[in-house]
Structures are given as structure tokens and as C-alpha cells.
Amino acid sequence: MGYARTFTVALLGLSGHLIEVEADIGQTLPAFVLLGLPDTSLKESRERIRSAAKNSGVPLVPRKLTVSLTPASLPKAGTAFDLAIVVAAIQAAGQARPTDRCVFLAEAGLDGSLRPVQGVYPAVSAAVEAGHRTVVVAAENGSEARLVEGAEVVAFESLADVLRWCGAEDSRLRWPGERTVSLTNPTPARPLPDLCDVVGQEQGRWALEIAAAGNHHLAMFGPPGTGKTMLAERLPGILPVLDESASHEVTSIHSIGSPGARLNRLMTEPPWEAPHHTASTTAIVGGGSGLPQPGAVSRAHHGVLFLDEAPEFRRGVLDALRQPLESGSVTLSRAKGSAKYPAKFQLVIAANPCPCGRSMSIGETCTCAPREKRSYLGKISGPLLDRIDLQLRVPKLSWSEINAGTAPESSATVAARVAQARARARERLRKLGISSNSEIRGSHLRDQLRLPPKVLTGLKRLQERGDLTLRGCHRIERVAWTLADLDGAESPRRDHIDAAIGLRTGRGWEA
């Protein structure tokens, strides 16, 4: 009896680590020993592999089989190791030829079929970066694996197909019964709503354009039915498409964090995440048992995270957003390992002014006690609001505003202005190594992008009076730069600073 080696990939966050799967067949009584920090689902692979090999016509030899997953110190989870293990075991028995640097990624079914797994895109990317270009996957993962440039992908429906490819005798192989294989993406791209559907709300449309042009966070407060959700849903439609680097990151995250998705193209549209207000901290930030999985903040990377009815979320969930808003990433540590996921998202929140929603409505009487109002909006903490650049009141429209007859601008028209503003910002900020105004640091504002004192007069007055934190001052200046880009100005004027102050400090929604 002998020894064989195959390769697979283990994922920790978005980082893929090449794993050597070593199989050794001894002369002692039958046993199957699996080494290398496997989790429960991976330990169960022993029984899946036995049945898959038997039902494919090449049963495992009745000897002690020792399989080691190297490096042994790296935690390993999931079912994507099955194919690499069973192929190594059959090669060690001399029933198939060695496959050199080939990487195997698939789950084995008891009947010998190959099942798709999550995280194929980042796993194949890691294999190619490590110099292992040939990758074998399940048929349903083939289109996703082929998205990786430089990968030589071989997709099969069964273990028998893989073994025949590895040189096993056809006369011994048995194929599983026919089953339905879905080779398309079951979740097509979401059609983007158009801004022309929004009647009135000129201030809200303007704030949405500013948010898109500068990648700023946005909060909207107003009575029910005023269009807060409609506005938020139209933000992705005016954002620019993702560049190549962002597209690869977003595709990798959704390959890992979207169960059941079968990707057949790179994701080029900014993602949209709108979790329900009953979502837990784990669902929003990420985590779970075993190795941590990405949450909504990571799935919204380079896109929009929308929290409708924000005060209905638990306060702890909302406050958990503060750290990723600042750092642009989230590190999740658990007993079995830690993972770091990117989380550069645009936060958009919408809230009623009170539990009954009528405190800002003309001609309606609010039934909430003052204490109820304070408690309701108090769930959105001051430190979280301080991180939101644009804080907007969305009022109820009058009859004349609803029936004005003026055709609203379409998303395409607004998106063109946003693209021009982003291009100006990108050209100006290239020397700083950033691409949008929301990324400007305080040191940049004090040095390379310092504005004349006469432009900052209003901002200085508010800061000295204690109405603004230093973070708040910096965020106002960032918004002012975005306003200047939208106007085609070389740098912000005093009216841009004043408008940015109004968009951040207008507290009419607290009435």
C-alpha cells in the first residue's frame, strides 16, 4: 500500500490557504483517521467518502487510511475537502494516477455525485495565486470558478467522471443516477428602481445625489409615507459601477456569504442589503458558530446598507456599526479561529420621528409622550449619528407638490452628474491614495486640502460653541468638497460649507 497527495483550499475570511491532503494506507486493521483540525462537517466526510467511493465502483481498500490536512495548525471547516480526500485515498491505493498540482473543490454525495460548495471564487483565486492553475469543481460551480482569470477549470458531475479523468479503469467505474443540475444563477440581478418614480422631495433627491457623489452616509427622518424608503432604494441606481478590484472583492464575499447562490458573472453593481429590524448583531456584523461568516455589513461592501425603521433595531445592533463605519472592516474572533472581512459600505437609515409617526405631520396630533419620543429616537445613539454625514428631514408633501406636473429627473441623468463629480474627486485625491471624499482624513484636511479661514467661518463658530465635535467638522468639510465637485468648483466656497452644515445639523426632525 502507498501514499498520495492532492491539494485543496481552506478559507479564513476572504483569505484562501492552500491545503495539502496527504493519504497513507497502512497494513493494519481497517480504520479512517482524519488529522489537521477538522470541524464537525469535515469529520463527517469519512462516511460520505466511503459511500461515494463504493457507489462509484472504487471502494476504499480495507486497511488503515490516514489522511492529514496540512498545515495541521490551520482550522478547517466545510465540505469542500471531500473530493480532494477521496481522490488522494484512491491514488494511494494505486487505482488512479497522481494529479500533481491539481486542486480539488467539491462535496461528495453518498451516490458518488459531486455537490457544489460555497466560496469557490475566492478559493480558486487563492489556488491560482499559489501557482496551482488546474482546479476540479462540481458542475454547478463551474461557471463561478471560470470567472477567475488564469484558472484552468474542469467541472464534473460525479466522482466517477473525476476518476476516469485521473486514469482509473472505465470497467470498474459506476455512475450515479441522473439528477437535475442547475448551471445558472438562481438569483438574477435585482432591477434597479428609477428616481423618476419619486414625486417631489427635492431636498431628499439632492441629498441622495450628494451621498452618491461623495460616498457619504445618510439619515432620513420623517412621518410614514413620505418617501424615505423610495429614496433609499434608488441610491444604488445612481452609484457608479464597481471597478475591477472592488468587483473581485464583492464577488468573493457573495461567493462565501450567500448560501445557494451560483455566480456566473462578476458582480459589477453596488450591492444592496436591507436587513429586517429583528436582525441580530451576528446577522448584521457577522459571526456564528465555528469559523465566522460574513454579515450584512460585509455583504454590503462597496454598496449600500439600508436600515429601515432604524429605531426598531436593538440599540446594541446599531452601536455595533460604529467600528466598521470607521475602519471599513470587521474582525470576528471565535474559539475556533478568527476572520477579517472588508466592510466599506454606505449606511442609509430611515426613521419615523416617534412611535406613532405623527409628530412631524401637519394637521395630525402626535399621541406619544415626550419620554416615549426620547426613548424611541434615543436608540440611534449620538456617536452613531456623529458618523453620519447627511441628516435630513423628509416632510409630508402638500397636494400642490404632489401634483406639480414637473417630470422628475431620471436616475440616468443624476448618475451622469455623480460620475462627473466622482471623476473630479478621483483626480484630485489620487496623490493621497484615495478615490472618494468620504475617505479624506483629518490630516489631509489640515495639510493638503486646507481651506482659507474665511471659508470656514461658520464651521469655526459652531465648533467653538461646542455644537460640533472634531469628527463632525471633518465630515462637514468632506461634504463641502463633494458639493464643490458637483458644482464643478476647484475648491469649496463658503456657501458649500454652509450648505454642508445645514445638511448635517438641521435638527428639525427632533421636533
Side-chain angles (χ1 to χ4, degrees):
M1 296 300 154
Y3 164 91
R5 180 179 65 174
T6 58
F7 295 90
T8 187
V9 175
L11 291 173
L12 286 179
L14 292 187
S15 300
H17 302 267
L18 196 70
I19 302 297
E20 293 185 18
V21 180
E22 299 175 290
D24 178 77
I25 299 177
Q27 298 293 339
T28 55
L29 293 174
F32 193 152
V33 180
L34 186 59
L35 309 174
L37 287 185
D39 75 339
T40 301
S41 62
L42 185 49
K43 289 177 183 177
E44 292 173 349
S45 68
R46 293 176 293 190
E47 302 309 317
R48 291 194 299 273
I49 285 166
R50 284 187 194 277
S51 297
K54 173 177 69 69
N55 292 323
S56 297
V58 190
L60 301 183
V61 294
R63 296 287 189 273
K64 181 179 180 181
L65 172 63
T66 303
V67 175
S68 176
L69 307 176
T70 307
S73 59
L74 189 73
K76 302 165 191 74
T79 59
F81 300 83
D82 289 5
L83 183 57
I85 294 173
V86 68
V87 171
I90 292 171
Q91 288 175 351
Q95 298 170 322
R97 62 173 174 78
T99 47
D100 299 324
R101 297 170 67 81
C102 180
V103 170
F104 297 88
L105 294 164
E107 176 184 336
L110 297 184
D111 61 350
S113 60
L114 297 184
R115 311 283 180 173
V117 294
Q118 289 178 245
V120 164
Y121 182 83
V124 174
S125 297
V128 171
E129 288 177 9
H132 295 246
R133 300 171 66 88
T134 304
V135 184
V136 177
V137 298
E140 288 150 298
N141 285 140
S143 58
E144 181 177 341
R146 293 186 182 98
L147 296 176
V148 179
E149 188 176 351
E152 298 172 4
V153 178
V154 187
F156 293 116
E157 293 186 18
S158 69
L159 175 59
D161 291 326
V162 177
L163 295 178
R164 181 168 62 181
W165 182 73
C166 293
E169 296 180 23
D170 269 12
S171 59
R172 301 186 58 187
L173 298 177
R174 292 203 303 268
W175 277 261
E178 188 174 334
R179 71 184 182 92
T180 302
V181 177
S182 173
L183 300 179
T184 58
N185 187 356
T187 53
R190 185 178 70 95
L192 297 177
D194 200 289
L195 262 176
C196 65
D197 300 330
V198 180
V199 177
Q201 298 299 359
E202 295 303 320
Q203 186 83 352
R205 294 169 61 94
W206 183 50
L208 206 68
E209 183 174 341
I210 296 167
N215 204 34
H216 301 293
H217 307 306
L218 172 64
M220 294 180 285
F221 302 87
T226 55
K228 302 185 295 296
T229 302
M230 281 190 71
L231 285 166
E233 288 177 340
R234 281 145 183 80
L235 178 55
I238 61 174
L239 291 173
V241 296
L242 304 178
D243 60 26
E244 184 177 357
S245 174
S247 179
H248 285 298
E249 286 185 347
V250 171
T251 304
S252 295
I253 292 170
H254 284 261
S255 176
I256 294 171
S258 299
R262 301 286 174 263
L263 302 175
N264 54 20
R265 61 182 182 84
L266 288 176
M267 297 184 66
T268 57
E269 305 87 8
W272 165 267
E273 287 289 322
H276 192 261
H277 63 256
T278 57
S280 65
T281 304
T282 299
I284 298 295
V285 178
S289 59
L291 292 177
Q293 294 297 303
V297 296
S298 295
R299 292 195 301 274
H301 183 55
H302 290 305
V304 180
L305 176 65
F306 176 50
L307 303 184
D308 201 6
E309 306 295 346
E312 300 293 344
F313 285 80
R314 292 196 294 274
R315 178 160 182 166
V317 174
L318 295 175
D319 283 341
L321 298 173
R322 287 154 56 178
Q323 183 266 332
L325 282 174
E326 287 294 317
S327 65
S329 64
V330 59
T331 301
L332 306 166
S333 298
R334 298 294 184 268
K336 294 186 179 180
S338 63
K340 183 176 182 179
Y341 292 104
K344 290 184 179 178
F345 58 91
Q346 267 186 275
L347 176 63
V348 179
I349 67 173
N352 295 330
C354 63
C356 78
R358 294 195 291 264
S359 70
M360 288 171 53
S361 297
I362 300 172
E364 293 185 279
T365 303
C366 175
T367 59
C368 303
R371 182 177 179 179
E372 288 180 301
K373 292 183 186 181
R374 289 194 299 270
S375 175
Y376 185 72
L377 285 176
K379 288 186 180 180
I380 308 174
S381 66
L384 177 60
L385 271 178
D386 201 35
R387 290 168 167 81
I388 298 177
D389 305 341
L390 308 171
Q391 299 173 26
L392 179 71
R393 174 178 175 173
V394 183
K396 184 174 286 188
L397 297 175
S398 66
W399 178 264
S400 60
E401 290 173 316
I402 295 173
N403 296 280
T406 305
E409 285 185 316
S410 67
S411 290
T413 302
V414 177
R417 291 199 298 267
V418 167
Q420 290 175 355
R422 287 237 182 180
R424 293 188 190 101
R426 191 163 49 248
E427 181 64 28
R428 181 180 64 253
L429 300 174
R430 182 179 290 116
K431 60 184 178 183
L432 303 178
I434 55 180
S435 60
S436 67
N437 291 322
S438 65
E439 301 174 88
I440 298 173
R441 301 190 189 98
S443 58
H444 297 153
L445 294 170
R446 290 190 297 271
D447 299 327
Q448 294 93 335
L449 302 175
R450 190 178 185 87
L451 297 175
K454 63 179 181 180
V455 173
L456 299 172
T457 302
L459 194 59
K460 176 184 176 183
R461 185 166 57 249
L462 287 173
Q463 201 275 333
E464 290 179 343
R465 207 165 61 196
D467 292 340
L468 285 174
T469 63
L470 181 59
R471 180 196 288 128
C473 292
H474 289 162
R475 289 187 177 276
I476 286 172
E477 287 191 63
R478 293 169 188 163
V479 172
W481 276 103
T482 299
L483 290 168
D485 290 332
L486 286 168
D487 280 352
E490 289 295 321
S491 66
R493 303 184 300 265
R494 182 166 177 172
D495 61 311
H496 293 139
I497 292 288
D498 292 342
I501 291 172
L503 285 166
R504 180 178 176 82
T505 62
R507 300 291 186 176
W509 49 268
E510 291 181 342

